[in-house]
Amino acid sequence: MNYEELLNVALKEARKGFEEEGVPIGAALFDAEGHVLGRGRNRRVQENDPSAHAETDAFRRAGRQKNYQDTIMVSTLAPCWYCSGLIRQFNIGTLVVGENKNFPGHLDWLREAGVKVIELNDARCIELMSYFIEHHPDIWNEDIGVCKPSK
Amino acid sequence: MNYEELLNVALKEARKGFEEEGVPIGAALFDAEGHVLGRGRNRRVQENDPSAHAETDAFRRAGRQKNYQDTIMVSTLAPCWYCSGLIRQFNIGTLVVGENKNFPGHLDWLREAGVKVIELNDARCIELMSYFIEHHPDIWNEDIGVCKPSK
């Protein structure tokens, strides 16, 4: 499997998100042969939807599947607890991570649960996310739930 | 806070889901004063949406919030990894669980992360879910990702 090629599908989604002025994280779910089942991106800003992280959006758009063991989730950024929980609950067999410099995620927790995790350390993903975090720290913090109480 | 009263809001959602022939799990997100921010239910069957677990649906419908520390997530059933990850990532302060007999969830994992977890062991929630699991084991297994491969 050419994981770089799969990552390009997710990265295209992330760039679309960036153009829409949203959080530029993209993801896609593939079957065992590398065919796209669903592609998605973070839609917090675009649709005012806090539940639409890239991975959950791709999972949603893939529709109902009977089994995920042979599927491959590809994300431009290491998944948060919410998306890691998704991967673990549905026994998604393989996770490909574009980068985990801007957000470390919980890759060991997933590995311990039996998920095959591949880290690509992709410079394009790192740069896109770094730029967004630097320019929109408030939206980024909101997206990962680390905002301080307003009172 | 009257947690039984909050549970009734989630149970009403679960019953709506049952009437729609969906997975009868309901949830609602409340603010610190017990006002509803969003209510939701499992919509796998109704909308062919595998990502719409009750808790994520309630979270979604609550819209963007700056901070969740003071919020209360109420679900008729103990949350799966996906929904537990949501609660942990967004630092939802309190979780009220209608029952954890039909699905144990990961309540200790949430407690260790600092979530205040309240178990109500509600007979109405247990009965509704037991009935559904008995009559639709296939949909239930699909909903928690334990289906066997079709091949």
Side-chain angles (χ1 to χ4, degrees):
Chain A
M1 186 64 61
N2 185 335
Y3 293 123
E4 290 283 355
E5 225 170 75
L6 304 192
L7 179 63
N8 286 339
V9 176
L11 183 56
K12 199 170 168 185
E13 288 293 312
R15 285 174 171 160
K16 271 189 206 163
F18 183 78
E19 284 163 21
E20 294 163 349
E21 302 188 0
V23 183
I25 305 172
L29 187 68
F30 298 87
D31 68 13
E33 284 75 42
H35 300 126
V36 180
L37 296 169
R39 49 191 103 206
R41 56 187 181 273
N42 189 299
R43 296 178 196 265
R44 171 176 296 273
V45 172
Q46 297 94 314
E47 298 182 4
N48 267 319
D49 184 351
S51 78
H53 272 197
E55 298 89 333
T56 57
D57 192 49
F59 179 83
R60 182 181 211 191
R61 285 160 197 270
R64 290 168 67 179
Q65 305 283 332
K66 284 286 172 200
N67 188 277
Y68 293 89
Q69 192 57 56
D70 289 340
T71 66
I72 305 163
M73 176 66 84
V74 182
S75 178
T76 55
L77 184 66
C80 73
W81 277 125
Y82 171 43
C83 300
S84 298
L86 176 91
I87 290 162
R88 180 160 178 174
Q89 186 62 47
F90 290 96
N91 297 303
I92 291 172
T94 304
L95 168 68
V96 178
V97 171
E99 65 115 338
N100 63 348
K101 304 300 172 209
N102 285 300
F103 186 76
H106 312 283
L107 304 183
D108 286 341
W109 185 76
L110 287 170
R111 284 193 178 103
E112 281 159 24
V115 180
K116 179 180 173 185
V117 179
I118 291 145
E119 299 173 59
L120 292 181
N121 198 25
D122 186 278
R124 301 165 302 168
C125 294
I126 295 172
E127 192 187 342
L128 182 62
M129 201 60 214
S130 302
Y131 182 91
F132 184 83
I133 292 173
E134 194 189 330
H135 290 82
H136 302 284
D138 49 337
I139 300 177
W140 170 238
N141 285 332
E142 182 190 318
D143 198 57
I144 51 170
V146 297
C147 291
K148 288 186 184 133
S150 51
K151 43 184 168 179
Chain B
M1 187 63 63
N2 185 336
Y3 293 122
E4 289 283 357
E5 226 170 75
L6 304 192
L7 179 64
N8 286 338
V9 176
L11 183 56
K12 199 170 167 183
E13 288 293 315
R15 286 175 171 162
K16 270 188 207 165
F18 183 78
E19 284 163 21
E20 294 163 350
E21 301 186 1
V23 184
I25 305 172
L29 187 68
F30 298 88
D31 69 12
E33 284 75 42
H35 301 125
V36 180
L37 296 169
R39 50 191 103 205
R41 56 185 180 273
N42 189 299
R43 296 177 196 266
R44 169 176 297 272
V45 173
Q46 298 93 315
E47 298 182 5
N48 267 320
D49 184 351
S51 79
H53 273 197
E55 298 89 333
T56 58
D57 192 50
F59 178 84
R60 181 181 212 192
R61 286 161 196 270
R64 288 168 68 179
Q65 306 283 331
K66 282 285 172 198
N67 188 276
Y68 293 89
Q69 192 56 57
D70 289 341
T71 66
I72 305 164
M73 176 66 84
V74 182
S75 179
T76 55
L77 184 65
C80 72
W81 277 125
Y82 170 43
C83 300
S84 298
L86 176 90
I87 291 162
R88 180 160 177 174
Q89 185 63 45
F90 290 97
N91 297 302
I92 291 172
T94 304
L95 168 67
V96 177
V97 171
E99 64 115 339
N100 63 348
K101 304 301 173 209
N102 285 300
F103 185 75
H106 311 283
L107 304 182
D108 286 343
W109 185 77
L110 287 169
R111 284 194 178 100
E112 281 160 23
V115 180
K116 179 179 171 185
V117 179
I118 291 145
E119 299 173 59
L120 292 181
N121 198 24
D122 185 280
R124 300 166 303 169
C125 294
I126 295 173
E127 192 187 342
L128 183 62
M129 201 61 214
S130 303
Y131 181 91
F132 184 83
I133 292 173
E134 194 189 329
H135 290 81
H136 302 285
D138 50 337
I139 301 176
W140 170 238
N141 285 333
E142 183 189 318
D143 198 57
I144 51 170
V146 296
C147 291
K148 289 188 181 132
S150 50
K151 43 185 167 179

PDB file of all heavy atoms in Angstrom, chain A residues 69-87:
ATOM      1  N   GLN A  69     -12.255  -3.620  10.335  1.00  0.00           N
ATOM      2  CA  GLN A  69     -10.946  -4.207  10.622  1.00  0.00           C
ATOM      3  C   GLN A  69      -9.956  -4.008   9.469  1.00  0.00           C
ATOM      4  O   GLN A  69      -8.777  -3.764   9.684  1.00  0.00           O
ATOM      5  CB  GLN A  69     -11.104  -5.696  10.956  1.00  0.00           C
ATOM      6  CG  GLN A  69      -9.853  -6.321  11.544  1.00  0.00           C
ATOM      7  CD  GLN A  69      -9.363  -5.611  12.803  1.00  0.00           C
ATOM      8  OE1 GLN A  69     -10.088  -5.468  13.770  1.00  0.00           O
ATOM      9  NE2 GLN A  69      -8.114  -5.120  12.787  1.00  0.00           N
ATOM     10  N   ASP A  70     -10.449  -4.104   8.247  1.00  0.00           N
ATOM     11  CA  ASP A  70      -9.566  -3.986   7.076  1.00  0.00           C
ATOM     12  C   ASP A  70      -9.459  -2.559   6.555  1.00  0.00           C
ATOM     13  O   ASP A  70      -8.835  -2.331   5.515  1.00  0.00           O
ATOM     14  CB  ASP A  70     -10.100  -4.871   5.940  1.00  0.00           C
ATOM     15  CG  ASP A  70      -9.909  -6.350   6.263  1.00  0.00           C
ATOM     16  OD1 ASP A  70      -9.066  -6.655   7.126  1.00  0.00           O
ATOM     17  OD2 ASP A  70     -10.610  -7.173   5.650  1.00  0.00           O
ATOM     18  N   THR A  71     -10.119  -1.616   7.203  1.00  0.00           N
ATOM     19  CA  THR A  71     -10.083  -0.249   6.682  1.00  0.00           C
ATOM     20  C   THR A  71      -8.862   0.515   7.197  1.00  0.00           C
ATOM     21  O   THR A  71      -8.239   0.120   8.194  1.00  0.00           O
ATOM     22  CB  THR A  71     -11.364   0.543   7.035  1.00  0.00           C
ATOM     23  OG1 THR A  71     -11.429   0.728   8.452  1.00  0.00           O
ATOM     24  CG2 THR A  71     -12.613  -0.184   6.558  1.00  0.00           C
ATOM     25  N   ILE A  72      -8.557   1.585   6.492  1.00  0.00           N
ATOM     26  CA  ILE A  72      -7.398   2.417   6.812  1.00  0.00           C
ATOM     27  C   ILE A  72      -7.881   3.853   6.989  1.00  0.00           C
ATOM     28  O   ILE A  72      -8.444   4.439   6.069  1.00  0.00           O
ATOM     29  CB  ILE A  72      -6.361   2.382   5.654  1.00  0.00           C
ATOM     30  CG1 ILE A  72      -5.966   0.940   5.332  1.00  0.00           C
ATOM     31  CG2 ILE A  72      -5.139   3.230   5.994  1.00  0.00           C
ATOM     32  CD1 ILE A  72      -5.273   0.787   3.963  1.00  0.00           C
ATOM     33  N   MET A  73      -7.686   4.396   8.187  1.00  0.00           N
ATOM     34  CA  MET A  73      -8.025   5.803   8.424  1.00  0.00           C
ATOM     35  C   MET A  73      -6.753   6.614   8.241  1.00  0.00           C
ATOM     36  O   MET A  73      -5.719   6.308   8.848  1.00  0.00           O
ATOM     37  CB  MET A  73      -8.562   6.000   9.847  1.00  0.00           C
ATOM     38  CG  MET A  73      -8.849   7.443  10.225  1.00  0.00           C
ATOM     39  SD  MET A  73     -10.208   8.203   9.286  1.00  0.00           S
ATOM     40  CE  MET A  73     -11.640   7.637  10.241  1.00  0.00           C
ATOM     41  N   VAL A  74      -6.830   7.619   7.388  1.00  0.00           N
ATOM     42  CA  VAL A  74      -5.672   8.477   7.141  1.00  0.00           C
ATOM     43  C   VAL A  74      -6.029   9.887   7.573  1.00  0.00           C
ATOM     44  O   VAL A  74      -7.070  10.419   7.174  1.00  0.00           O
ATOM     45  CB  VAL A  74      -5.286   8.457   5.643  1.00  0.00           C
ATOM     46  CG1 VAL A  74      -4.052   9.309   5.408  1.00  0.00           C
ATOM     47  CG2 VAL A  74      -5.047   7.030   5.173  1.00  0.00           C
ATOM     48  N   SER A  75      -5.195  10.481   8.406  1.00  0.00           N
ATOM     49  CA  SER A  75      -5.450  11.851   8.855  1.00  0.00           C
ATOM     50  C   SER A  75      -4.183  12.669   8.713  1.00  0.00           C
ATOM     51  O   SER A  75      -3.081  12.154   8.906  1.00  0.00           O
ATOM     52  CB  SER A  75      -5.921  11.847  10.315  1.00  0.00           C
ATOM     53  OG  SER A  75      -6.130  13.189  10.750  1.00  0.00           O
ATOM     54  N   THR A  76      -4.341  13.948   8.386  1.00  0.00           N
ATOM     55  CA  THR A  76      -3.146  14.788   8.247  1.00  0.00           C
ATOM     56  C   THR A  76      -2.485  15.062   9.602  1.00  0.00           C
ATOM     57  O   THR A  76      -1.312  15.399   9.658  1.00  0.00           O
ATOM     58  CB  THR A  76      -3.495  16.133   7.574  1.00  0.00           C
ATOM     59  OG1 THR A  76      -4.547  16.771   8.309  1.00  0.00           O
ATOM     60  CG2 THR A  76      -3.948  15.915   6.135  1.00  0.00           C
ATOM     61  N   LEU A  77      -3.254  14.907  10.683  1.00  0.00           N
ATOM     62  CA  LEU A  77      -2.731  15.187  12.033  1.00  0.00           C
ATOM     63  C   LEU A  77      -3.093  14.039  12.968  1.00  0.00           C
ATOM     64  O   LEU A  77      -4.143  13.410  12.819  1.00  0.00           O
ATOM     65  CB  LEU A  77      -3.349  16.501  12.550  1.00  0.00           C
ATOM     66  CG  LEU A  77      -2.865  17.028  13.902  1.00  0.00           C
ATOM     67  CD1 LEU A  77      -1.392  17.439  13.835  1.00  0.00           C
ATOM     68  CD2 LEU A  77      -3.711  18.231  14.348  1.00  0.00           C
ATOM     69  N   ALA A  78      -2.257  13.797  13.949  1.00  0.00           N
ATOM     70  CA  ALA A  78      -2.534  12.735  14.936  1.00  0.00           C
ATOM     71  C   ALA A  78      -3.888  12.993  15.603  1.00  0.00           C
ATOM     72  O   ALA A  78      -4.184  14.119  16.005  1.00  0.00           O
ATOM     73  CB  ALA A  78      -1.425  12.698  15.983  1.00  0.00           C
ATOM     74  N   PRO A  79      -4.726  11.971  15.707  1.00  0.00           N
ATOM     75  CA  PRO A  79      -6.087  12.145  16.242  1.00  0.00           C
ATOM     76  C   PRO A  79      -6.118  12.451  17.744  1.00  0.00           C
ATOM     77  O   PRO A  79      -5.305  11.943  18.512  1.00  0.00           O
ATOM     78  CB  PRO A  79      -6.750  10.779  15.991  1.00  0.00           C
ATOM     79  CG  PRO A  79      -5.861  10.038  15.049  1.00  0.00           C
ATOM     80  CD  PRO A  79      -4.489  10.593  15.236  1.00  0.00           C
ATOM     81  N   CYS A  80      -7.093  13.282  18.107  1.00  0.00           N
ATOM     82  CA  CYS A  80      -7.342  13.604  19.519  1.00  0.00           C
ATOM     83  C   CYS A  80      -8.034  12.419  20.197  1.00  0.00           C
ATOM     84  O   CYS A  80      -8.287  11.391  19.570  1.00  0.00           O
ATOM     85  CB  CYS A  80      -8.209  14.864  19.602  1.00  0.00           C
ATOM     86  SG  CYS A  80      -9.934  14.556  19.136  1.00  0.00           S
ATOM     87  N   TRP A  81      -8.382  12.561  21.492  1.00  0.00           N
ATOM     88  CA  TRP A  81      -9.072  11.476  22.207  1.00  0.00           C
ATOM     89  C   TRP A  81     -10.392  11.104  21.549  1.00  0.00           C
ATOM     90  O   TRP A  81     -10.761   9.924  21.467  1.00  0.00           O
ATOM     91  CB  TRP A  81      -9.357  11.871  23.670  1.00  0.00           C
ATOM     92  CG  TRP A  81      -8.221  11.677  24.610  1.00  0.00           C
ATOM     93  CD1 TRP A  81      -7.667  12.630  25.424  1.00  0.00           C
ATOM     94  CD2 TRP A  81      -7.489  10.463  24.870  1.00  0.00           C
ATOM     95  NE1 TRP A  81      -6.640  12.086  26.158  1.00  0.00           N
ATOM     96  CE2 TRP A  81      -6.515  10.769  25.835  1.00  0.00           C
ATOM     97  CE3 TRP A  81      -7.557   9.170  24.369  1.00  0.00           C
ATOM     98  CZ2 TRP A  81      -5.620   9.804  26.329  1.00  0.00           C
ATOM     99  CZ3 TRP A  81      -6.668   8.212  24.843  1.00  0.00           C
ATOM    100  CH2 TRP A  81      -5.720   8.531  25.816  1.00  0.00           C
ATOM    101  N   TYR A  82     -11.109  12.101  21.097  1.00  0.00           N
ATOM    102  CA  TYR A  82     -12.420  11.876  20.467  1.00  0.00           C
ATOM    103  C   TYR A  82     -12.257  10.960  19.243  1.00  0.00           C
ATOM    104  O   TYR A  82     -12.951   9.927  19.108  1.00  0.00           O
ATOM    105  CB  TYR A  82     -12.984  13.254  20.094  1.00  0.00           C
ATOM    106  CG  TYR A  82     -14.219  13.332  19.244  1.00  0.00           C
ATOM    107  CD1 TYR A  82     -15.320  12.511  19.447  1.00  0.00           C
ATOM    108  CD2 TYR A  82     -14.308  14.309  18.235  1.00  0.00           C
ATOM    109  CE1 TYR A  82     -16.461  12.641  18.654  1.00  0.00           C
ATOM    110  CE2 TYR A  82     -15.442  14.445  17.459  1.00  0.00           C
ATOM    111  CZ  TYR A  82     -16.517  13.607  17.667  1.00  0.00           C
ATOM    112  OH  TYR A  82     -17.631  13.753  16.892  1.00  0.00           O
ATOM    113  N   CYS A  83     -11.307  11.319  18.369  1.00  0.00           N
ATOM    114  CA  CYS A  83     -11.126  10.546  17.134  1.00  0.00           C
ATOM    115  C   CYS A  83     -10.368   9.247  17.391  1.00  0.00           C
ATOM    116  O   CYS A  83     -10.575   8.251  16.693  1.00  0.00           O
ATOM    117  CB  CYS A  83     -10.415  11.412  16.103  1.00  0.00           C
ATOM    118  SG  CYS A  83     -11.385  12.897  15.718  1.00  0.00           S
ATOM    119  N   SER A  84      -9.519   9.244  18.410  1.00  0.00           N
ATOM    120  CA  SER A  84      -8.852   7.991  18.795  1.00  0.00           C
ATOM    121  C   SER A  84      -9.885   7.006  19.327  1.00  0.00           C
ATOM    122  O   SER A  84      -9.818   5.805  19.059  1.00  0.00           O
ATOM    123  CB  SER A  84      -7.787   8.265  19.867  1.00  0.00           C
ATOM    124  OG  SER A  84      -6.787   9.124  19.363  1.00  0.00           O
ATOM    125  N   GLY A  85     -10.845   7.536  20.081  1.00  0.00           N
ATOM    126  CA  GLY A  85     -11.919   6.693  20.606  1.00  0.00           C
ATOM    127  C   GLY A  85     -12.744   6.087  19.477  1.00  0.00           C
ATOM    128  O   GLY A  85     -13.128   4.914  19.536  1.00  0.00           O
ATOM    129  N   LEU A  86     -12.978   6.891  18.444  1.00  0.00           N
ATOM    130  CA  LEU A  86     -13.706   6.394  17.269  1.00  0.00           C
ATOM    131  C   LEU A  86     -12.973   5.208  16.646  1.00  0.00           C
ATOM    132  O   LEU A  86     -13.561   4.158  16.369  1.00  0.00           O
ATOM    133  CB  LEU A  86     -13.833   7.522  16.232  1.00  0.00           C
ATOM    134  CG  LEU A  86     -14.483   7.123  14.912  1.00  0.00           C
ATOM    135  CD1 LEU A  86     -15.999   7.347  14.981  1.00  0.00           C
ATOM    136  CD2 LEU A  86     -13.913   7.908  13.748  1.00  0.00           C
ATOM    137  N   ILE A  87     -11.681   5.397  16.428  1.00  0.00           N
ATOM    138  CA  ILE A  87     -10.853   4.367  15.789  1.00  0.00           C
ATOM    139  C   ILE A  87     -10.853   3.086  16.623  1.00  0.00           C
ATOM    140  O   ILE A  87     -11.012   1.986  16.107  1.00  0.00           O
ATOM    141  CB  ILE A  87      -9.408   4.911  15.589  1.00  0.00           C
ATOM    142  CG1 ILE A  87      -9.421   6.000  14.515  1.00  0.00           C
ATOM    143  CG2 ILE A  87      -8.440   3.783  15.238  1.00  0.00           C
ATOM    144  CD1 ILE A  87      -8.203   6.899  14.516  1.00  0.00           C
TER     145      ILE A  87
END
